[in-house]
């Protein structure tokens, strides 16, 4: 059994995250602010896996996911200390130990956000260069505009690096 004082090894984290169903379970539990019943968790996992709604799930899909969560995935997450499961109430929730796996979880939305920032700087810079070359911005030289854009990209890349580095600590 896992003690909350123990740190998760990288091998343990990779083993836990090797299953798409466990990753989905962790993602759902991260979204919930309160414990969730295992049956509800299984329905949400099954719906996401089948790209449908909970209401449109077949009873076979519900049962298949519930059994695998109950017999395999939740016990594994409990054993490593990431999840707790109250067998009396059927509720499941993340423990504070779950924060140890945060650096290994990829959030596509966060990644896409950075691309948007870089795109905005590039588009604004391109428009400013066009405006400068057509005399719309006669008071700004191309060299100054280039320096400002380079500085903007450096600051943006630095912020992205620092946030990623901080997330790994």
């Amino acid at each position: 059994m896992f003690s909350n004082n123990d740190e998760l090894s990288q091998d343990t984290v990779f083993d836990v995250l090797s299953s798409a169903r466990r990753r989905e379970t962790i993602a759902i539990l991260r979204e919930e602010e309160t414990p969730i019943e295992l049956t509800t968790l299984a329905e949400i996992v099954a719906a996401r896996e089948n790209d449908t709604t909970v209401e449109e799930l077949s009873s076979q899909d519900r049962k298949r996911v519930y059994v695998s969560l109950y017999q395999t995935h939740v016990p594994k997450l409990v054993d490593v200390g990431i999840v707790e499961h109250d067998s009396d109430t059927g509720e499941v929730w993340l423990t504070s130990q779950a924060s140890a796996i945060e650096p290994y979880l990829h959030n596509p939305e966060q990644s896409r956000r950075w691309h948007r920032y870089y795109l905005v700087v590039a588009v604004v810079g391109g428009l400013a260069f066009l405006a400068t070359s057509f005399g719309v911005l006669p008071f700004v030289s191309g060299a100054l505009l280039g320096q400002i854009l380079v500085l903007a990209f450096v600051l943006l890349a630095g912020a992205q690096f620092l946030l990623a580095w901080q997330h790994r600590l």
Side-chain angles (χ1 to χ4, degrees):
M1 194 64 159
F2 187 83
S3 163
N4 277 344
N5 296 332
D6 296 336
E7 285 191 33
L8 292 175
S9 71
Q10 192 175 45
D11 288 341
T12 301
V13 171
F14 287 164
D15 182 45
V16 166
L17 297 178
S18 68
S19 164
R21 190 162 284 168
R22 283 194 293 271
R23 290 191 306 273
E24 194 64 51
T25 297
I26 292 167
I28 292 165
L29 292 174
R30 287 173 70 207
E31 294 166 10
E32 296 294 320
E33 295 191 16
T34 59
I36 183 172
E37 288 188 23
L38 186 57
T39 53
T40 304
L41 176 64
E43 289 175 338
I44 297 169
V45 170
R48 289 184 182 182
E49 285 181 359
N50 291 294
D51 199 26
T52 188
T53 64
V54 170
E55 295 77 27
E56 294 176 359
L57 283 172
S58 71
S59 61
Q60 183 180 7
D61 287 333
R62 292 172 202 263
K63 184 177 180 180
R64 180 179 44 82
V65 173
Y66 177 83
V67 169
S68 86
L69 287 179
Y70 181 78
Q71 292 181 347
T72 305
H73 301 296
V74 169
K76 181 159 192 112
L77 293 169
V78 168
D79 285 345
V80 297
I82 294 174
V83 163
E84 289 207 22
H85 176 228
D86 184 335
S87 56
D88 293 334
T89 64
E91 293 180 327
V92 182
W93 63 93
L94 289 178
T95 67
S96 60
Q97 187 66 31
S99 63
I101 63 171
E102 284 292 323
Y104 301 96
L105 298 175
H106 176 68
N107 182 348
E109 280 303 311
Q110 230 173 13
S111 296
R112 281 189 222 121
R113 182 181 68 204
W114 286 106
H115 297 305
R116 290 179 189 148
Y117 294 152
Y118 285 108
L119 181 62
V120 166
V121 170
V123 168
V124 168
L127 291 173
F129 268 122
L130 283 174
T132 302
S133 46
F134 287 113
V136 176
L137 297 173
F139 55 89
V140 178
S141 72
L144 176 61
L145 186 57
Q147 291 171 346
I148 291 171
L149 283 175
V150 168
L151 180 62
F153 276 110
V154 167
L155 290 174
L156 191 56
Q160 184 179 9
F161 173 79
L162 287 175
L163 287 173
W165 183 67
Q166 181 183 22
H167 220 300
R168 288 188 180 117
L169 295 181

